[in-house]
Amino acid sequence: MAGDAFDALFEAVRVSPDNVPLRRHLADSLLAANRAGEAEHEYRAALKLAPDDDGCAVGLADAFFRQGRHQEGLAVLESRPPAAASPEARLLAARLHLATGAVADARACYLEAVAASPTLADADLADRLGMRAGAAVAGGPTLERDPDLDLDDDLDIDLAVDIELVRSDVTFADVGGMEAVKDEVRIKILDPVQRPELFSAFGKKAGGGILMYGPPGCGKTHLAKATAGELGGPFIAVGLHEILDMWIGQSERKLHDVFERARRNAPSVLFFDEVDALGASRADMHASGGRHLINQFLSELDGVEGDNESVLVLAATNAPWYVDSAFRRPGRFDQILFVPPPDQAARAAILRILCTGKPVEAVDYDHLAARTDGFSGADLEAVVDRAIEAKLRATMRSGGGVSPLTAKDLAAAARSVTPSTREWFATARNWATHANAGGTYDDVLAWLERRH
């Protein structure tokens, strides 16, 4: 687009600043012209006016991708409901995951994108993921294992899913803040296993489920690992890509195998990330496959096909409002815990960890933490990454030796990062205000009130 055309668009937006379609058109045009920084600004402005506009959210994530800000791009996509994810969004998620080194997640997203829209097949991306275009089956493309690469493939049909059991060396002492959340996990998850005589006197069995929700990048997975560390049992982390399968009935079979493995190794912690994708509301589904998987999930939680005593089920989601209400019935995920952004003490601890092993001049992490209110752990990682990149550029321009990061470097980087949690809270506020009859989101409202 010529410069005068952009000038006309900028002027139109200035005259009509609340016109969302106009802002999105400007943002899309800027992105197409590789002016990603300016496009980011316009997408953000549009999302402030229309937080539920998924097209603007995908555009913002793409703008982050083109600027090399991969974690921020993923945070935007993960904050949207799975049902709203277009094939193009899944393809972008694949590129973002690949850029961060999460190859398995990238391959799962790529498979979903191509299955929904075969025209999105990208031979170059498939090669980088260790896959290649194969012969068409039933009118659509398939993906075959690349014999030159020793990688697992989600298209392999196995009756047992290969899930790693690990012993977590993380405990609650390693989780900064979140004391209320940790107390709930103790009484619901840990104490019945560690003090069985007390709980059995009241007829209370060990086991059960907790659904943790909150903005992306705020430590839900870390808390799950810490729970396993406190328990001393195996930690079984289950990702979306390890369950979903294109073959009929295979996803349900994999899910059953995961629960069976947890039961055989009880007491154990079974952790489902992105559970909203596995347990999305059945009312929003048009295909029967998703409903069958949800019914299987509910059956496993109820222990219909095996005893779940001492199997502690934790799940995390960025969008609890899209999880089927049946999951919140007593005996399933009957405890729903809000995991907010890290508080000041936790932010200081995160920053110290992120700077460990790097050349750093004396930094007052507590002071820096006070200036990063509302930042998620992923946002803080972006702050440190930007500070390092700026220091590297300055060092290469000057031709000098390695100079350490300073408090000034980190503060400057922090000013350039917008907390990704703001977009999540904009959506959460709507649900907490208008769809909170049972008080599920009272913690969100309380957190927002403390901020004002």
Side-chain angles (χ1 to χ4, degrees), residues 68-131:
R69 294 155 59 186
H70 305 126
Q71 290 291 353
E72 291 174 85
L74 284 171
V76 172
L77 292 180
E78 290 169 0
S79 69
R80 317 308 291 185
S86 64
E88 290 77 13
R90 303 310 295 161
L91 185 66
L92 176 58
R95 297 185 190 281
L96 286 162
H97 278 304
L98 181 60
T100 63
V103 178
D105 289 336
R107 292 164 64 211
C109 290
Y110 180 76
L111 284 168
E112 292 171 12
V114 173
S117 179
T119 59
L120 293 179
D122 184 321
D124 178 63
L125 180 58
D127 283 343
R128 293 166 62 199
L129 292 171
M131 306 153 94

Side-chain angles (χ1 to χ4, degrees), residues 181-357:
V181 177
K182 288 187 282 191
D183 285 343
E184 287 289 344
V185 172
R186 285 191 186 96
I187 191 70
K188 172 68 178 178
I189 295 289
L190 297 175
D191 289 345
V193 174
Q194 297 172 337
R195 305 179 65 185
E197 68 289 343
L198 175 61
F199 281 77
S200 63
F202 290 91
K204 173 67 175 174
K205 288 186 176 182
I210 287 180
L211 175 63
M212 299 179 290
Y213 76 96
C218 289
K220 295 184 286 294
T221 301
H222 189 58
L223 182 62
K225 290 180 179 178
T227 301
E230 292 284 332
L231 179 68
F235 177 67
I236 308 171
V238 185
L240 174 65
H241 65 278
E242 290 163 319
I243 297 297
L244 294 184
D245 197 289
M246 67 181 291
W247 304 104
I248 295 174
Q250 190 65 11
S251 296
E252 294 90 324
R253 207 172 274 178
K254 286 183 175 182
L255 185 62
H256 174 69
D257 290 339
V258 166
F259 272 90
E260 279 298 298
R261 192 163 191 188
R263 292 168 184 138
R264 288 196 300 269
N265 291 277
S268 58
V269 174
L270 185 55
F271 175 61
F272 290 91
D273 201 4
E274 297 181 322
V275 74
D276 46 307
L278 290 174
S281 174
R282 286 168 290 187
D284 296 333
M285 292 186 175
H286 302 289
S288 61
R291 294 192 184 96
H292 290 320
L293 180 59
I294 292 173
N295 290 336
Q296 179 70 35
F297 204 163
L298 295 173
S299 176
E300 298 294 346
L301 288 172
D302 290 338
V304 172
E305 301 185 48
D307 187 1
N308 285 344
E309 185 166 4
S310 295
V311 175
L312 317 178
V313 185
L314 299 179
T317 177
N318 302 327
W321 36 83
Y322 292 113
V323 176
D324 195 289
S325 59
F327 282 90
R328 297 195 290 270
R329 202 189 74 183
R332 295 168 181 172
F333 294 120
D334 48 356
Q335 292 289 326
I336 302 178
L337 299 182
F338 174 51
V339 180
D343 58 21
Q344 183 172 335
R347 293 196 301 275
I350 292 170
L351 287 165
R352 286 190 184 95
I353 292 170
L354 291 171
C355 290
T356 299

Side-chain angles (χ1 to χ4, degrees), residues 6 58 156 391 425 451:
F6 275 118
V58 174
D156 290 344
K391 180 64 71 174
F425 277 108
R451 305 266 297 173

